[in-house]
Structure formats: C-alpha cells, structure tokens
C-alpha cells in the first residue's frame, strides 16, 4: 500500500510524475579546478581595459585575414578583448598622435616635434596591434623554459606507475609558469569529459606544441606510447623520450649560437659605431647649425630614440631564443631579505636611502659649481635670440668644468650600481649556491640509492650518505633532514617537506624538491623501487648537466664579446669622443674669431655669409652638456647590454641580470670618466696652447 501526504493549499493540482531521486550537485574541489578558476577570475589587465575603452570611442573592424590571426592569438593568450577592440585601439592611437603632433608643432613652431610625436604614435600603435601575438610568443618562450623538467617529471612518474593521467598530474604540480597552467587546463579538460582518456588529450596536446617545439612533441609522443608497451620496452621508450628533448635542446641552441653573430654585430654597430660617428659630427652640428640643433635634439637622438631601437632589436633577437632550463627561485628563502632590502646583522635595511645618499654625495660639488657658473652648462641667450659665445678664462677651468659634468654622470651610475648590487648580492650568492648544490645532487642521489639498494631504510641511509658527500655543500641538506628525524621525531617525508623546519626550506630548488618528492613517493612502495628511481634520476640529471655545460660553451664567444663591449670598449671610445668633442668645439669657435679679425676680410666673405656666422657663432650645446648627454647614453647602453647578456646565457634571471648591470656600471663608468678626463687634460692642453700661439 502506498501512502500519500495531504496536499498543501499552495500545491498545484497537476498530477505528480514519479522521477528518479535528484542527484546532488557535484562538489569539485580538485587542485586543477581551483587553479583553473583562480586564473579565470583574474581582473582585466591594462591592455584589455585600454582596448575596451578605445572601441567605445571608435569602432573599427579588421579584414578577414587579420581577424583570424588576432582571434588565434587572443584565444591562445586568453585575453579579454576582441579583434575589433585591438583594431580600434590601433587606429585611435595613430589618429590621436598625428593630431597632437600637428597641434603642438603649430603651437611651438617646431616641425621636428611634430614628426617625432607622429612617429612615436605610429610605433605605439603598432605595439598595441601586435601585443596579442607578442604575448603569445612570450608565453610560449616562458613555457619552453620548463619543457625539459616537464619531460623529466613525466618520465619519473611513468617509471614508478605507467599511468598517463597520474604522470600529467605529477608534472603539472611540480613545474611552474605558462607550461604548468597549460597542463592544468589539459587536466581540467580531462576531468570535465572533453577527452575520453589522457592518451587522447595528450594527442591533441602534441598537435598543439609540434609547430612550436618539435622535440617536446616527439618526447610526449614517446611517453604516450610507452603506456601501452611491455615493461622493458616501455622503460627504453621513456629513456629515449628524455634523450630526444636533451639532444633537441643541444641542436636548437647550437643553431641559435651560430645565428647570434649577426645580431651581436648589428648591436655593436647600432650601439657603438653609429653613436661614435654621430658624436664626431655632433660638435660640427652644434657650431654650424646652432640655430637649428639644440640640446633637445641630442637628448632625443642619443638618450631616447637610439636606446629604444637597440632594445627593440634585442627583444626581437631574444624572441627566437630556444628552450633552456628553469631558474632557481629564491623568493621564498627564509634567510633572504624582502625585495629592495639587504640584511645587515640579520636586520633588513632598505637600499634606496643608501643609493640616494650616494647620489647626493656625488652631486653636491658639481651642482654647486654649475649654479655658480650656469653659463658653462647652458650658454646664455643674447638679444638676437642666439646663444652667446662663452670662453673659458684658462685651460684649468675648461678641464675642471668637464670634470664636474662627468662627476654628475659618475654619481648617477654609482647610485644605480649601489642599488642593483646591494639589492641582489645576497640573493645572487644564495642562487649560485643552490645551482652549485643542484650539480652535486646527482652524486648525492646516486650514493643514497646505493645505501638504500642494500636494504637500509631511508632514515638510516641518510646518515651513511652524509659521510659519502661530507665534502660537498649538498651534505647540509641531509644534515638538516637527519637532525629533524632525530630531534623532532619526524618521518622521512616531514624531515624534508615540513613547512617550518623542513630541510628544503633552506634549499629552495624546485629540481631538488620535486625529485625528493618523487623519491619519497616511490619509497612507499619499497626500497628496491626507491633505489632504482634514484639511479635513473641521477643519470638523467647528469645528462641535463652535460647539456647545460654544452650550451654555456656554445655561448661563451658571444658573451665574452659583449662583456668586452660593456666593460671596456664602449666606455673607452665614448670617453675619447667626449674629450675630442670639447676640443673640436673650442677649435671651431676660436678659428671663427681669428678669421673674423683678420685684416683684409673685414669679417665677411664676398658673396657668402659672414665668417662670424659660419665659424664664430656660439655652439648651441656646451661641452659639459654634451658630455652629460653622452654619459646618460653610456649608462643606458651598459644596462641594456647586461640585460641582453643575461637573457642570452641564463634566460629570465632577474637577480643575475641586475647584479651584472651593477658591476658593469661601476667598472664601465669609471673607465669612461678616467679616459675622458685624462685625454681632455693631455690633448686639450696642447690644442689650447697651439691656438693661443696662433692667435697671439
């Protein structure tokens, strides 16, 4: 008998239909889902907000071919814009820059200003238009830096348990950057049923990456195929997968190193030879074209346009850089200060006040001098609107004025150098130490595997392994772990991974952390499996280290050439040019005065301009101001070369990049200052004496 409850007054009189029990809403709490939702909920970045705003002002639709290319780039980078937004921003930027340039040019009666603003707008518009494709290229390069470790982790996971989905999970959890997000999205697609199996998902993933990195795609194919092979055949296939990615990395980097010769030559020409030719002509322009050429034009050419061109070309060269290896992340190291600070007796000290004090200390004397003698820095303007001629009373004043202007550049360089070095010297020391420990890890892992292979439990094997590697820095990792086991009664896992006392807190290497996690996870199945995993991983690490050394050897010639340019060649030549420019300006001015006063010419050449207008006009840019413009350019070039050098040899390593820039600045600017003052003192004195004899 079936009993029914009495109907409520609010219920419908429509007959009920018996349905199966309603399933509860699934609660999805996987790590991949949480990371996926976190990435999806991000706020629009500056470009997305700017493009959306531009489309509200002006709506422009791209042509069919451009639309497809933009859609592909936007989808890969997951930008929250449309192709119409990008095109609208591109056109609107050009229109605004052209109109602004014309208005400002008319207002200030300056054609050069109009052309500069229009050209800047065209360049900015092009940057906005190509931003999606540039971002895709950047994301692919960032992802490529993790491909070797990704293959290593997948191989390790597949050797322990030949399951593709577990291998993908293990890899996505242990790598970082764009590739980690890419793999987590793939896992999420598997969880949501987009793919029937991990093998099918990996097949699509291989197709996606094949145009970008053929070796990575081939290694993934081998790993996928190993799942369906026999145990022995599968192990051989996994070994081949790692060999494929390592050999492919060697080949790509070899070709890249060979192709670097032309870009380095172009950078040398654009960054050194071309500016040198310009500095030779600049004094002539300052004298003969004083009505047209002003210090603004020199600043625009040397300190703005030329560095932008060099940076653009360098970024274009770096965009073709092949896969390398991930960097050591020391941002969470417990013994390092916060960013922008350094430890002094275990107290964090901010760097910027020290840099500011250094800058003020160097600027006090020259600023005081030029406030008292402003005519030596900026020539006074006469009643006719032209700069007046300023003569130094003696040779000492000329050299002293140039030295004061050089001291300003030296102070700026020292302040930047102090900031870069103090902010990073403790970090670079820790990073180098961890990199050194990573090279030792393969030996320590092999020794630990030997101990475990004899049937020794992992906890006891650590104690015996310490004696085998006691002369190496890696022994500290095992000493901390052993101390945790003995003093705190921790397990083998907690001794390394405890959040407060774990040994890996003091050795924040992703490589060591992830491999120790794999070893400990394997040890749960038995010491035999753990020892075999250690032997295999040790051999893999040896192959990776040999590949890294091969890459360093390939790039050694290029890096040495660029270091020579930054440390010595650029400061030396620019220092000579600055002193020569000072001499040329004085020679031309004095020559004009001498010719104008010659009897018979009357200061005027028949049918031509007066001699005073040709030779005797005051230069628009003083030697001190010209030196400061060139000095700023030298600082910019040294920093640019340091960034280029680091990215070529080490990839995206900000710590090494700024630390190297600090060292290069202090050495390069010191050479620049020494050469400029010494050559001006030696040759300038001789030239001035010769001129005084001629005119006397």
């Amino acid at each position: 008998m079936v009993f029914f409850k009495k109907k409520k007054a609010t219920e419908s009189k429509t007959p009920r239909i018996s349905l199966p029990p309603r399933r509860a809403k699934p609660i999805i709490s996987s790590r991949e889902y949480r990371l996926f939702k976190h990435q999806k909920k991000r706020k629009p970045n500056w470009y997305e907000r700017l493009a959306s705003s531009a489309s509200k002002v002006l709506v422009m639709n791209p042509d069919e071919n451009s639309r497809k290319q933009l859609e592909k780039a936007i989808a890969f980078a997951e930008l929250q814009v449309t192709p119409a937004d990008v095109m609208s921003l591109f056109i609107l930027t050009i229109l605004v820059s052209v109109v602004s340039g014309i208005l400002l040019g008319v207002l200030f009666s300056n054609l050069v200003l109009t052309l500069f603003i229009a050209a800047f707008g065209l360049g900015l518009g092009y940057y906005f238009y190509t931003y999606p494709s540039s971002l895709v290229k950047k994301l692919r390069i960032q992802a490529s830096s993790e491909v070797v470790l990704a293959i290593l982790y997948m191989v390790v996971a597949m050797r322990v348990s030949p399951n593709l989905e577990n291998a993908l999970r293990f890899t996505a959890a242990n790598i970082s950057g764009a590739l980690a997000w890419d793999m987590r999205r793939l896992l999420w697609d598997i969880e949501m049923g987009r793919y029937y199996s991990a093998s099918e998902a990996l097949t699509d993933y291989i197709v996606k990456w094949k145009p970008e990195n053929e070796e990575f795609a081939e290694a993934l194919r081998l790993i996928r195929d190993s799942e369906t092979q026999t145990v022995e055949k599968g192990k051989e296939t996994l070994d081949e997968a790692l060999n494929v990615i390592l050999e492919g990395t060697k080949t790509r980097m070899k070709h890249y190193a060979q192709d670097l010769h032309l870009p380095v030559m172009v950078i040398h020409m654009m960054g050194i030879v071309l500016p040198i030719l310009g500095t030779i002509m600049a004094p002539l322009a300052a004298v003969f074209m004083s009505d047209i050429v002003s210090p603004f034009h020199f600043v625009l050419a040397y300190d703005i346009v030329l560095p932008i061109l060099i940076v653009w070309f360098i970024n274009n060269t770096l965009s073709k850089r092949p896969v390398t290896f991930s960097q050591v992340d020391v941002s969470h190291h417990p013994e390092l200060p916060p960013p922008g600070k350094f430890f002094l007796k275990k107290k964090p000290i901010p760097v910027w006040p020290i840099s500011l004090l250094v800058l003020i200390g160097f600027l006090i004397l020259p600023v005081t001098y030029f406030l008292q003698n402003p005519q030596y820095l900026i020539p006074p303007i006469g009643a006719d609107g032209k700069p007046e001629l300023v003569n130094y009373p003696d040779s000492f004043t000329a050299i002293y004025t140039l030295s004061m202007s050089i001291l300003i550049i030296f102070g700026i360089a020292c302040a930047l150098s102090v900031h870069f070095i103090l902010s990073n010297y403790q970090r670079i020391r820790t990073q180098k130490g961890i990199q050194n420990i990573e090279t030792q890890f393969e030996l320590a892992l092999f020794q630990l595997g030997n101990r475990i292979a004899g049937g020794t439990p992992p906890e006891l094997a650590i104690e015996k392994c310490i004696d085998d590697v006691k002369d190496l820095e890696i022994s500290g990792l095992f000493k901390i772990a052993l101390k945790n086991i003995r003093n705190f009664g921790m397990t083998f896992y907690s001794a390394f991974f405890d959040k407060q006392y774990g040994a890996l807190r003091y050795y924040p290497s992703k490589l060591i952390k992830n491999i120790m996690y794999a070893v400990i996870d394997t040890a749960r199945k038995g010491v035999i499996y753990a020892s075999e995993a250690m032997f295999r991983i040790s051999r893999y690490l040896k192959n990776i280290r040999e590949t890294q050394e091969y890459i360093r050897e390939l790039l050694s010639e290029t890096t040495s050439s660029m270091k020579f340019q930054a440390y010595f060649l650029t400061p030396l030549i620019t220092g000579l040019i600055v002193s020569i420019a000072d001499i040329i300006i004085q020679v031309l001015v004095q020559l004009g005065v001498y010719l104008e006063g010659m009897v018979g010419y009357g200061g005027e050449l028949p049918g031509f301009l007066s001699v005073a207008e040709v030779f005797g006009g005051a230069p628009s840019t003083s030697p001190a101001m010209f030196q400061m413009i060139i000095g700023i350019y030298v600082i910019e070039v040294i920093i640019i070369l340091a960034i280029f050098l680091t990215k070529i040899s080490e990839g995206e390593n900000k710590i090494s990049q700024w630390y190297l820039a600090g060292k290069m600045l202090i050495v390069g600017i010191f050479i620049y200052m020494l050469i400029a003052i010494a050559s001006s003192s030696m040759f300038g004195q001789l030239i001035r004496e010769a001129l005084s004899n001629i005119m006397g």
Side-chain angles (χ1 to χ4, degrees):
M1 180 179 286
V2 180
F3 295 93
F4 296 94
K5 291 183 179 180
K6 188 177 180 180
K7 292 183 179 180
K8 295 182 181 179
T10 55
E11 285 185 347
S12 173
K13 296 183 179 181
T14 306
R16 286 178 174 269
I17 300 175
S18 299
L19 295 173
R22 183 180 179 185
R23 294 182 61 186
K25 186 178 179 180
I27 300 175
I28 303 175
S29 59
S30 67
R31 182 174 186 270
E32 288 71 28
Y33 176 75
R34 293 195 302 271
L35 292 169
F36 180 83
K37 295 300 291 182
H38 176 73
Q39 181 78 8
K40 281 292 186 182
K41 289 181 179 179
R42 69 172 180 83
K43 295 181 179 180
N45 61 21
W46 65 269
Y47 179 80
E48 293 165 337
R49 293 194 297 269
L50 195 61
S52 299
S53 301
S55 62
K56 295 176 182 178
V57 178
L58 178 68
V59 179
M60 297 294 296
N61 292 310
D63 60 86
E64 187 66 20
N65 187 34
S66 300
R67 183 183 61 80
K68 290 181 180 179
Q69 292 179 353
L70 287 172
E71 283 179 347
K72 188 182 298 184
I74 290 169
F76 189 95
E78 296 193 346
L79 290 171
Q80 300 174 18
V81 294
T82 63
D85 294 339
V86 177
M87 182 59 69
S88 300
L89 180 60
F90 171 58
I91 299 298
L92 187 62
T93 302
I94 295 177
L95 289 177
V96 170
S97 63
V98 171
V99 173
S100 301
I102 293 174
L103 292 177
L104 291 175
V106 172
L107 181 63
F108 294 100
S109 301
N110 193 327
L111 180 60
V112 176
L113 182 62
T114 300
L115 295 176
F116 172 73
I117 294 177
F120 178 79
L122 288 173
L124 186 62
Y126 178 77
Y127 170 76
F128 288 151
Y129 180 76
T130 58
Y131 180 85
S133 59
S134 299
L135 182 60
V136 169
K137 190 179 296 184
K138 180 181 178 181
L139 291 174
R140 286 171 176 169
I141 292 174
Q142 291 175 351
S144 296
S145 65
E146 295 283 336
V147 296
V148 175
L149 286 183
I151 295 299
L152 173 61
Y153 295 148
M154 289 192 72
V155 168
V156 169
M158 289 292 289
R159 291 190 70 89
V160 174
S161 175
N163 184 291
L164 274 179
E165 188 170 344
N166 288 339
L168 284 171
R169 290 183 185 279
F170 178 78
T171 304
N174 290 316
I175 61 175
S176 60
L179 188 61
W181 160 243
D182 208 27
M183 284 193 167
R184 289 164 190 159
R185 182 168 51 186
L186 183 67
L187 285 168
W188 175 244
D189 289 340
I190 296 173
E191 286 189 6
M192 294 303 295
R194 182 179 176 184
Y195 299 105
Y196 292 107
S197 65
S199 178
E200 182 188 1
L202 201 58
T203 300
D204 279 359
Y205 198 67
I206 291 169
V207 173
K208 174 184 177 180
W209 272 96
K210 192 173 181 62
E212 305 302 325
N213 194 320
E214 191 172 349
E215 297 79 29
F216 183 49
E218 177 63 17
L220 289 175
R221 185 190 66 80
L222 291 171
I223 292 173
R224 181 200 62 188
D225 295 345
S226 69
E227 188 182 33
T228 58
Q229 296 172 347
T230 61
V231 176
E232 293 301 323
K233 181 64 176 175
K235 291 180 179 180
E236 293 178 2
T237 304
L238 291 174
D239 291 342
E240 179 64 21
L242 192 59
N243 290 333
V244 164
I245 193 68
L246 291 175
E247 290 300 322
T249 300
K250 286 183 180 180
T251 303
R252 280 175 175 260
M253 191 55 82
K254 180 179 179 180
H255 294 161
Y256 181 70
Q258 292 171 346
D259 295 339
L260 270 179
H261 292 294
L262 180 59
V264 170
M265 185 181 300
V266 172
I267 292 171
H268 173 73
M269 295 295 294
M270 291 179 59
I272 297 178
V273 177
L274 181 61
I276 288 172
L277 295 176
T279 51
I280 293 174
M281 299 299 296
L284 304 178
V287 174
F288 291 110
M289 303 174 64
S290 59
D291 294 340
I292 302 175
V293 179
S294 65
F296 168 76
H297 298 97
F298 291 119
V299 171
L300 182 65
Y302 279 95
D303 298 338
I304 299 176
V305 175
L306 201 54
I308 289 176
L309 290 176
I310 297 174
V311 169
W312 172 81
F313 187 80
I314 285 176
N315 286 335
N316 187 53
T317 303
L318 290 171
S319 66
K320 302 172 185 177
R321 187 178 188 271
V323 54
T324 51
F325 303 92
S326 60
Q327 301 299 322
V328 174
D329 182 14
V330 296
S331 58
H332 302 292
H333 196 286
E335 295 184 352
L336 286 178
K341 298 182 179 181
F342 70 100
F343 276 145
L344 183 63
K345 295 182 179 180
K346 298 185 178 180
K347 293 183 179 180
I349 307 296
V351 176
W352 71 264
I354 300 176
S355 303
L356 185 60
L357 287 175
V358 171
L359 180 62
I360 294 174
F362 278 103
L363 294 187
I364 288 177
L365 183 59
V367 169
T368 303
Y369 176 77
F370 285 117
L371 286 176
Q372 296 174 351
N373 303 278
Q375 71 278 9
Y376 293 152
L377 183 64
I378 302 176
I381 304 299
D384 56 355
K386 297 181 180 180
E388 295 181 351
L389 181 63
V390 177
N391 289 320
Y392 298 112
D394 50 46
S395 299
F396 175 79
T397 304
I399 297 173
Y400 187 76
T401 301
L402 184 64
S403 301
M404 288 297 100
S405 68
I406 292 176
L407 194 60
I408 294 176
I409 298 301
F410 189 71
I412 295 173
C414 284
L416 290 173
S417 180
V418 166
H419 189 276
F420 293 156
I421 292 176
L422 287 182
S423 299
N424 296 284
Y425 83 98
Q426 292 173 332
R427 299 175 183 276
I428 195 72
R429 184 174 58 192
T430 302
Q431 189 181 70
K432 295 295 183 185
I434 294 173
Q435 288 174 345
N436 188 39
I437 288 171
E438 285 184 348
T439 61
Q440 301 169 0
F441 187 56
E442 64 181 77
L443 176 60
L445 200 63
F446 182 80
Q447 296 294 342
L448 187 60
N450 268 337
R451 296 293 183 181
I452 293 178
T456 307
E459 290 81 358
L460 297 178
I462 291 179
E463 183 176 0
K464 296 181 179 180
C465 180
I466 291 175
D467 294 333
D468 298 330
V469 295
K470 59 183 178 181
D471 296 330
L472 303 178
E473 294 179 54
I474 191 66
S475 61
L477 175 70
F478 296 109
K479 287 178 181 178
I480 296 174
L482 183 61
K483 178 183 177 181
N484 290 339
I485 293 173
R486 287 180 173 176
N487 297 349
F488 299 101
M490 292 184 180
T491 62
F492 188 52
Y493 175 84
S494 299
F496 287 95
F497 290 94
D498 184 81
K499 293 183 178 180
Q500 187 173 1
Y501 300 105
L504 288 172
R505 286 191 73 236
Y506 301 91
Y507 297 87
S509 166
K510 293 180 182 178
L511 182 68
I512 297 176
K513 175 184 176 181
N514 296 331
I515 289 175
M516 286 304 302
Y517 180 82
V519 168
I520 293 171
D521 188 55
T522 309
R524 296 189 179 118
K525 299 185 178 182
V527 292
I528 300 299
Y529 291 101
S531 63
E532 182 183 354
M534 289 180 187
F535 290 143
R536 292 288 180 180
I537 293 174
S538 176
R539 186 171 65 85
Y540 296 154
L541 292 178
K542 181 181 179 182
N543 291 338
I544 290 176
R545 180 174 57 81
E546 290 176 350
T547 303
Q548 288 175 319
E549 293 299 327
Y550 177 76
I551 290 173
R552 289 193 186 98
E553 184 179 351
L554 284 175
L555 297 174
S556 60
E557 182 180 351
T558 299
T559 55
S560 298
S561 173
M562 297 192 66
K563 283 182 179 179
F564 178 73
Q565 288 185 22
Y567 276 116
F568 188 74
L569 188 60
T570 302
L572 172 67
I573 298 178
T574 49
L576 288 171
I577 290 299
V578 163
S579 62
I580 293 173
D582 182 18
I583 296 170
I584 291 175
I585 289 176
Q586 294 192 48
V587 168
L588 291 175
V589 171
Q590 295 298 331
L591 182 60
V593 173
Y594 175 71
L595 291 177
E596 190 175 10
M598 288 181 64
V599 179
Y601 283 97
E604 187 173 325
L605 296 174
F608 294 95
L609 296 174
S610 67
V611 176
E613 291 176 335
V614 176
F615 286 102
S620 60
T621 306
S622 66
M625 178 63 73
F626 184 74
Q627 182 284 135
M628 291 178 63
I629 295 171
I630 298 301
I632 294 295
Y633 171 74
V634 173
I635 292 176
E636 292 176 341
V637 166
I638 290 176
I639 293 176
I640 290 172
L641 288 177
I643 294 173
F644 187 34
L645 181 61
T646 306
K647 288 188 175 183
I648 282 179
S649 56
E650 301 183 35
E652 291 290 338
N653 189 343
K654 298 293 184 182
I655 296 174
S656 180
Q657 169 183 304
W658 295 118
Y659 183 74
L660 180 62
K663 292 198 304 180
M664 284 183 169
L665 268 179
I666 195 67
V667 175
I669 294 298
F670 179 77
I671 293 176
Y672 167 80
M673 179 182 69
L674 191 65
I675 295 297
I677 295 177
S679 57
S680 180
S681 301
M682 292 171 55
F683 301 108
Q685 180 68 20
L686 296 175
I687 296 296
R688 292 183 186 94
E689 290 179 359
L691 285 174
S692 62
N693 292 332
I694 294 174
M695 299 180 64

